[in-house]
Amino acid sequence: MFRDVLCAIDGTRTAARGVDRACELAAPGARLTILACSDERGGGLWASAALNPTRARRRLRRAASRARTAGCEAKTVLEPTGSVVEQVLEHAAGHRLLALGAPVLPRWAGLLIGGVTSKALHQLPSSLLIARAQPLATGEQVLLAIDGPQNTPGLIDVAAYAGRRLDRGVLMVHAAGAESRSAPHHLTAQHERLTKALGREPELLVAPDDPVELIVRVARERGTALIVMGSRRVGGLRALGSVSEQVAYKTGCSILVVHAVQRGA
């Protein structure tokens, strides 16, 4: 499913995690494009860069070596100029999956200054993997967060793929609300579809709780290494209530936010 992956790296200590987790999730022999943006400006005494070009090349070589050791094809791209956020999102539009190391900045700072992770979650040019230190296959289950009946077939297919790829069961989690009481057959249909796609029966957990708190709490209690969920791609003031973004910043595990095109595929 994920054979064409973009991994964007920077100078932070968490950047390489995107490469490591992408290799674990991607199909065997997948092609990884590893991107670094130096955003060089000015010259002479006034020269500055978000990431020193020499350091960027060194990090790209190391990241490519990690990917090849993990069995993936890897090529590197260094963008010397232009906004880091804009370059990453522009490149991501041409790939099935964008992998990023988990953000170092808190969520409010990402929203305020327009961090790459926050922008990618809002615009979602491709599916997005936000990677943390724990290897994906060490989790007890893949957690699939279900939010109503809309666009779930592709989301379920991605969760089933992750479960098969990592040889793990899937736990479906749904925060119960009015839509659950009025249309319970949607959850039954989703459970049946996932059972068929996964090849084993998944666990289903429905609880009357805030979606963000439920997902984060269950992931922590169950030792989950990967959460799979969709996104409504909201921006502006509505972004303050984005479930996927709040989960991405609050959880301690990796999260895969599935693009609408793949969800509807």
Side-chain angles (χ1 to χ4, degrees), residues 31-237:
R31 299 181 302 274
L32 266 66
T33 299
I34 305 172
L35 170 69
C37 305
S38 59
D39 192 15
E40 296 177 80
R41 301 181 183 184
L45 294 174
W46 308 108
S48 65
L51 178 61
N52 179 277
T54 301
R55 188 182 179 198
R57 293 186 186 93
R58 185 166 60 246
R59 284 186 168 266
L60 284 170
R61 287 194 298 268
R62 290 175 180 172
S65 178
R66 294 170 80 111
R68 293 174 185 131
T69 299
C72 295
E73 298 178 16
K75 73 172 185 178
T76 62
V77 176
L78 175 59
E79 288 287 0
T81 60
S83 162
V84 174
V85 172
E86 291 177 1
Q87 289 285 3
V88 170
L89 296 183
E90 181 178 337
H91 279 269
H95 297 266
R96 298 277 288 179
L97 177 67
L98 167 62
L100 301 171
V104 176
L105 294 173
R107 179 173 179 251
W108 65 265
L111 286 169
L112 182 64
I113 67 176
V116 175
T117 302
S118 293
K119 285 288 187 180
L121 280 164
H122 296 164
Q123 299 184 23
L124 209 62
S126 63
S127 290
L128 173 64
L129 175 64
I130 301 173
R132 287 186 166 82
Q134 183 182 2
L136 300 182
T138 62
E140 293 296 322
Q141 296 169 302
V142 174
L143 191 157
L144 170 61
I146 291 290
D147 180 21
Q150 294 83 8
N151 298 319
T152 54
L155 185 62
I156 286 174
D157 291 341
V158 171
Y161 164 82
R164 295 193 307 269
R165 178 77 176 115
L166 302 172
D167 193 23
R168 290 292 181 270
V170 176
L171 168 63
M172 295 176 63
V173 175
H174 177 70
E179 77 287 347
S180 304
R181 295 189 294 271
S182 62
H185 62 280
H186 287 303
L187 287 175
T188 301
Q190 292 159 3
H191 186 269
E192 292 175 351
R193 181 183 177 93
L194 181 55
T195 300
K196 183 176 180 180
L198 184 62
R200 66 174 92 171
E201 186 173 359
E203 184 179 352
L204 174 61
L205 174 63
V206 179
D209 203 347
D210 173 79
V212 174
E213 298 304 319
L214 178 64
I215 294 166
V216 172
R217 175 173 56 80
V218 172
R220 182 180 62 252
E221 293 175 350
R222 297 296 187 95
T224 298
L226 178 66
I227 296 170
V228 178
M229 62 189 306
S231 172
R232 295 178 178 176
R233 301 177 66 185
V234 297
L237 291 176

Side-chain angles (χ1 to χ4, degrees), residues 17 20-21 24 102 131-136 138 252-254:
R17 294 173 184 171
D20 294 339
R21 303 292 85 81
E24 294 167 0
R132 287 186 166 82
Q134 183 182 2
L136 300 182
T138 62
C253 66
S254 297

